[in-house]
Amino acid sequence: MKDFVYNGLATRVIFGTDTLKQLADEVKRLGISRPLVLSTPHQNSEAERVADLIGREAAVIFSGAVMHTPVEVTQEAMKVVEKTGADGLIAIGGGSTTGLSKAIALRTDLPQLIVPTTYAGSEMTPILGQTEDGRKVTLRDMRVLPETVIYDVSLTLELPVHLSAVSGLNAIAHAVEALYARDRNPVTNLMAEDGIRALARALPQIVRNSLNVEARSDALYGAWLCGICLGCVGMALHHKLCHTLGGMFDLPHAETHSVILPYAMRYNMKAAPEAAEKVARALSVDNAATGLRNLTREIGAPLSLAAIGMPGERIGEAAVQAVSNPYWNPAPVTEPAIRALLTDAFDGGWRD
């Protein structure tokens, strides 16, 4: 056994079906008396449901969360915090809402209770990505790690099939990069492989029957494991590219991850053979990159950057920005190689 360091993260997790019923008790346990309830505009009804569970007179709702956590939205939410005297945060939704909660917590250190309705996984991490002036910047700070997460399988039953697919691939990406992370360790390796396995098993079943409770439970369990991996070890090329593209072109977050994932795996396979072997084993295939590509196709997720709105004439500009700040990756990161990767991903071209 090689020497390693494992940093466990202290987030309380409640997992099951109909666990949202425990929300009011958890709010009290955190000592929150006037929570700010966060959601996207689309999920305002879920925010209202949360407010009803804890007492509408005590809660304040802000339904302005959007993708990539732009700082101007955070500033608007901060005005509400200051005006109402909110003493805690409750976020219900996906990565956009969790991101806004974290951005507020970074500035206030208010306690957070997160109720995920997708498979984003960011609720399990001390990581925040914020966008300003077309550039997404990622930071790690323990102030943004949520105190409590309530996973309620029943809340994912109405998640549209397409969002289930791309959100699940986003979660898998966390685990894939954890397997070749510079600070990987045996504990996160186990969680990563099992997380990939659970999601790869569940997602095709969800596509066939979105109300399959067992598959939904497996997917949420897998997303939780992958989220822990994201929080415990560093990420590399895949996440750097996705943050670059998302910040530059305002591309949909989960869809960007789903497109880039097979290409990033292919880029790193020779430099990280042990990770590639674990990914392939979790997918029950021989080739990790091709297996991820085939899973993407099987569940109907987008296969090209062109399909999700990236302007092809700006591939070179994206490659330059992606390599502008050096970062660790198993395989060397060069502008020509990244340009080639992005060109393939833009066209959706694939070569084994």
Side-chain angles (χ1 to χ4, degrees), residues 159-191:
L159 183 65
V161 166
H162 172 75
L163 291 179
S164 300
V166 296
S167 179
L169 288 169
N170 181 16
I172 288 174
H174 306 330
V176 169
E177 291 230 291
L179 287 169
Y180 55 63
R182 178 167 46 182
D183 52 352
R184 63 190 178 276
N185 61 73
V187 180
T188 55
N189 284 350
L190 288 171
M191 290 188 286

Side-chain angles (χ1 to χ4, degrees), residues 5 20 52 62 79 112 115-116 121 147 150 161 172 177 181 197 220 227-229 238 260 274 296-297 322 342:
V5 174
L20 191 62
D52 287 337
F62 180 84
K79 293 177 183 177
Q112 302 176 79
V115 184
E147 279 72 13
I150 296 179
V161 166
I172 288 174
E177 291 230 291
R197 183 179 296 108
L220 198 58
I228 296 173
C229 294
H238 171 88
I260 291 295
E274 291 182 4
T296 302
R297 180 185 291 109
L342 291 176

Side-chain angles (χ1 to χ4, degrees), residues 255-274:
E255 284 85 347
T256 305
H257 279 267
S258 70
V259 172
I260 291 295
L261 178 58
Y263 295 96
M265 181 75 260
R266 189 178 69 183
Y267 189 99
N268 281 322
M269 276 184 63
K270 290 184 179 179
E274 291 182 4

Side-chain angles (χ1 to χ4, degrees), residues 188-201 218 221-222 225-226 282:
T188 55
N189 284 350
L190 288 171
M191 290 188 286
E193 189 171 343
D194 202 36
I196 295 170
R197 183 179 296 108
L199 280 158
R201 178 176 64 243
D218 282 348
Y221 165 76
L225 289 179
C226 295

Side-chain angles (χ1 to χ4, degrees), residues 88-131:
L89 306 166
I90 302 174
I92 183 165
S96 299
T97 309
T98 300
L100 178 58
S101 179
K102 289 180 170 185
I104 297 170
L106 178 68
R107 293 158 172 81
T108 63
D109 205 21
L110 290 176
Q112 302 176 79
L113 192 161
I114 311 295
V115 184
T117 60
T118 71
Y119 307 129
S122 58
E123 66 278 354
M124 292 305 301
T125 79
I127 301 169
L128 169 64
Q130 304 180 96
T131 303

